[in-house]
């Protein structure tokens, strides 16, 4: 089935937020990074300005710059209204209020939009829908990220998650997923089955981060290198 832009609510985060969510160290930032479901985040644009290496994957990159601008304009008031109605589900310390949230998100998406056409030309924005296979070879990237996509929507199913993470782990030496809760701020129902599944062959851990905007959304799932059982 064709991917429909009208079903997407674009909402993008910044490099500063990615650094904190994924506990990306100075050395990590210099590594080769793949970011899945990266949408209109400014992570790629900001990292590229710093001469770092990020490739972003998302089905929305098949659309034109103008289509993406229109969709952001169409949905931003709806998202802000919903956030206002659910204000108590968020922690307003780093981001102080709704005005600041709107400023940060619109700023991130504007930086993404400015970079989009050039980035697409440079193959830094790749139209791609998980769990499909990508065109990259095994272990091409050092780190694979998913911010606010995998685990957040458990309704996509365990099978979808396993197939998606399998592909991410095929092309990335390590995968980090943030947050580990769902939209109701409850532990994602697919989290434990995913941990059990990958624990057999990979080093899997949950790390506390300094990022918490969604209440209780302060942990990242890290699926690290293959453990001893897979090394021979
Ligand atoms: C909530 S946004 C997160 C954007 C960005 N990662 C961030 O944190 O700022 C979720 C993103 O997942 C993307 N998405 C939806 N279905 C997808 C799929 N099957 N594979 C990859 N990405 C998908 C959407 O297009 C959207 O950009």
């Amino acid at each position: 089935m064709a991917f429909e832009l009208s079903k997407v609510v674009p909402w993008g985060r910044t490099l500063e937020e990615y650094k904190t969510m994924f506990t990306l160290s100075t050395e990590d930032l210099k590594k080769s990074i793949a970011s899945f479901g990266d949408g209109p985040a400014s992570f790629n644009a900001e990292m590229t300005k710093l001469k770092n290496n990020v490739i972003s994957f998302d089905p929305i990159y098949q659309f034109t710059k103008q289509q993406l601008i229109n969709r952001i304009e169409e949905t931003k008031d709806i998202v802000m209204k919903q956030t206002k109605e659910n204000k108590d589900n968020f922690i307003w310390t780093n981001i102080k209020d709704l005005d600041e949230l709107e400023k940060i998100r619109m700023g991130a998406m504007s930086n993404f939009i400015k970079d989009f056409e050039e980035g697409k030309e440079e193959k830094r924005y790749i139209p791609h829908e998980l769990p499909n296979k990508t065109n990259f070879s095994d272990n091409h990237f050092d780190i694979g990220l998913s911010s606010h996509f995998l685990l957040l929507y458990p309704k996509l199913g365990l099978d979808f998650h396993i197939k998606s993470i399998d592909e991410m782990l095929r092309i990335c030496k390590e995968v980090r997923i943030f947050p580990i809760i769902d939209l109701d701020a409850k532990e994602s129902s697919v989290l434990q089955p995913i941990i059990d599944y990958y624990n057999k062959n990979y080093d899997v851990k949950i790390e506390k981060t300094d990022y918490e905007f969604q209440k209780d959304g302060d942990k990242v799932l890290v699926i690290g290198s293959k453990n001893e059982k897979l090394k021979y």
Side-chain angles (χ1 to χ4, degrees), residues 42-85:
S42 59
F43 179 59
N44 191 321
E46 292 186 72
M47 284 286 276
T48 303
K49 270 207 177 127
L50 297 172
K51 309 228 178 304
N52 295 326
N53 292 309
V54 176
I55 294 188
S56 300
F57 299 85
D58 198 296
I60 67 165
Y61 303 150
Q62 67 190 276
F63 300 103
T64 65
K65 175 177 167 176
Q66 195 53 52
Q67 284 174 309
L68 295 175
I69 293 174
N70 294 348
R71 188 64 193 149
I72 291 168
E73 279 303 315
E74 259 167 44
T75 50
K76 79 163 202 266
D77 290 344
I78 304 169
V79 185
M80 286 309 300
K81 184 168 170 280
Q82 281 171 352
T83 312
K84 192 172 174 186
E85 284 164 6

Side-chain angles (χ1 to χ4, degrees), residues 3 11-13 18 37-39 41 58-60 129-130 147-149:
F3 186 88
W11 210 226
R13 291 166 185 80
Y18 270 57
D38 212 32
D58 198 296
I60 67 165
E129 197 172 345
L130 285 168
S147 157
H148 295 85
F149 178 56

Side-chain angles (χ1 to χ4, degrees), residues 83-145:
T83 312
K84 192 172 174 186
E85 284 164 6
N86 296 295
K87 212 167 171 257
D88 292 344
N89 293 345
F90 299 94
I91 298 192
W92 301 93
T93 43
N94 286 340
I95 300 175
K96 287 189 184 48
D97 53 30
L98 287 157
D99 287 343
E100 193 180 341
L101 175 70
E102 182 167 346
K103 213 165 126 195
I104 293 172
R105 292 284 168 272
M106 293 315 286
M109 291 193 282
S110 155
N111 284 335
F112 158 76
I113 287 291
K114 280 185 222 143
D115 182 51
F116 179 60
E117 286 179 330
E118 193 179 327
K120 208 170 159 181
E121 204 56 49
E122 293 171 359
K123 304 212 177 341
R124 288 187 284 109
Y125 294 110
I126 300 192
H128 170 262
E129 197 172 345
L130 285 168
N132 295 341
K133 213 163 179 278
T134 61
N135 287 329
F136 289 86
S137 56
D138 294 1
N139 294 321
H140 183 94
F141 297 96
D142 295 312
I143 306 175
L145 305 176

